[in-house]
Amino acid sequence: MPVLRPMVPADVDALLGFYRSLPPWIVHWFEPWPGVDRGRIEAHLTEAAAGEAVSLGLCDDAGAVLGHVFILAFCGPRPVFGIGLREEWVGKGWGRRMAQAVLCAADARELPLVTLTVFKDNARARHLYESLGFAVTGGHSARSPSDSLAMERCRPAVAAGGGMRASTLSLLRGGAAVRIPWAADLTYWMAGEKAKGRADPAWDDEEGFVAFHQGLGTMPYYDYGKFAAA
């Protein structure tokens, strides 16, 4: 069974292999980096590790990337969503699961909106995006005039008083939370990745550990046997 997990700098070869494996009909609809090369993939994974993007890969037991979903420019005014799957995994429900996971990360980071563009002849993708809350905002030209649509998804409204950060600060000050703060315990998953030789060495220091969680939009869950002074 494939596993959806964060892409880290050590995954550069696997992710590059994914993009080079896509057939022309998928590239027609999904080409986030024309002429993708190792340097472009390395730059993307560096941005994700720094919390400037979120990048998730659908991976098999051997570590091969079967699908990639991301949101770029987290720190900009108009973050950009993208998703692609290998041919044999299209139409099996994984696209929806991947999209939901990355949008949850966007909501946890309290991004006000996420944007995308979709070719007009990609009816399957447009239907998926609309079911996830994206709405058409106008026309777009990708490879030819007006061949695509621009879409946006606004962050779901939360109770007045702020989001996750405000809720956490309120609790620390003895007040009430307006949202449930979420700290993900990913230490078991990290241990599994280390056992498979796929762990990012940066996870072993506190700065890298925190940056990894920031990229996913969750607070870090501290192992009391590690970073004990934090």
Side-chain angles (χ1 to χ4, degrees):
M1 178 67 70
V3 174
L4 186 61
R5 65 174 180 84
M7 294 279 92
V8 298
D11 292 314
V12 59
D13 289 324
L15 193 54
L16 181 59
F18 163 75
Y19 278 99
R20 288 178 172 172
S21 74
L22 298 179
W25 73 269
I26 290 181
V27 173
H28 167 71
W29 286 331
F30 176 66
E31 191 179 24
W33 302 295
V36 64
D37 57 20
R38 185 181 182 87
R40 177 60 263 186
I41 296 296
E42 287 178 338
H44 166 66
L45 295 178
T46 298
E47 291 167 1
E52 298 169 5
V54 63
S55 179
L56 305 177
L58 183 68
C59 303
D60 64 15
D61 291 339
V65 177
L66 312 173
H68 185 216
V69 62
F70 55 79
I71 297 178
L72 307 178
F74 254 36
C75 302
R78 300 182 63 80
V80 179
F81 169 96
I83 185 171
L85 281 162
R86 286 184 189 257
E87 185 172 15
E88 62 270 28
W89 292 91
V90 173
K92 297 184 178 181
W94 284 106
R96 176 173 296 277
R97 294 181 219 179
M98 292 164 63
Q100 288 173 329
V102 82
L103 290 172
C104 282
D107 291 341
R109 287 282 294 270
E110 301 180 12
L111 299 185
L113 66 89
V114 176
T115 71
L116 63 81
T117 59
V118 59
F119 284 98
K120 291 179 178 178
D121 60 354
N122 194 352
R124 181 201 294 266
R126 179 178 173 181
H127 176 73
L128 170 63
Y129 301 150
E130 289 176 338
S131 72
L132 293 169
F134 285 89
V136 174
T137 58
H140 178 76
S141 299
R143 299 193 185 97
S144 60
S146 301
D147 60 355
S148 308
L149 297 170
M151 304 184 76
E152 291 183 1
R153 173 188 179 272
C154 294
R155 182 169 64 93
V158 298
M164 186 177 294
R165 183 175 183 275
S167 292
T168 304
L169 293 174
S170 179
L171 285 172
L172 292 174
R173 293 164 181 161
V178 296
R179 284 179 68 185
I180 299 174
W182 178 50
D185 183 1
L186 299 175
T187 54
Y188 297 102
W189 177 83
M190 288 177 163
E193 291 299 288
K194 182 172 286 191
K196 296 173 185 176
R198 298 203 299 249
D200 186 340
W203 298 343
D204 288 331
D205 66 63
E206 186 175 6
E207 183 176 347
F209 185 80
V210 172
F212 170 75
H213 286 78
Q214 287 177 332
L216 293 177
T218 177
M219 293 184 295
Y221 183 95
Y222 279 92
D223 179 346
Y224 287 109
K226 198 170 189 179
F227 315 134

